[in-house]
Amino acid sequence: RDGDACTVDGCDSATGCSNTPVSCDDGDACTADSCDPVTGCTNTPVACDDGDACTTDSCDPMTGCTTDPVVC
């Protein structure tokens, strides 16, 4: 065991220890996926605010950030 929450540890009698990286991809384009060696996977929400008061900002889990014009 390497003590790293970002790897899956294993052992093969022919090749020895292995530490395969964990995939933290949650398939959601609205999160930034990463891995902390102590706590494991994190999926932090993406900030989609473009700073333009004339658009409505949102996030589509399939495509990511979207901005739609505000109807005034």
Side-chain angles (χ1 to χ4, degrees):
R1 298 194 68 178
D2 66 359
D4 185 336
C6 297
T7 62
V8 175
D9 307 324
C11 190
D12 182 291
S13 59
T15 60
C17 292
S18 64
N19 307 101
T20 307
V22 171
S23 173
C24 292
D25 183 2
D26 63 359
D28 186 339
C30 296
T31 60
D33 309 319
S34 62
C35 194
D36 180 291
V38 175
T39 60
C41 290
T42 59
N43 308 100
T44 307
V46 173
C48 292
D49 185 1
D50 66 358
D52 185 344
C54 293
T55 61
T56 301
D57 308 319
S58 60
C59 196
D60 180 309
M62 298 301 292
T63 60
C65 291
T66 59
T67 55
D68 296 312
V70 172
V71 178
C72 296

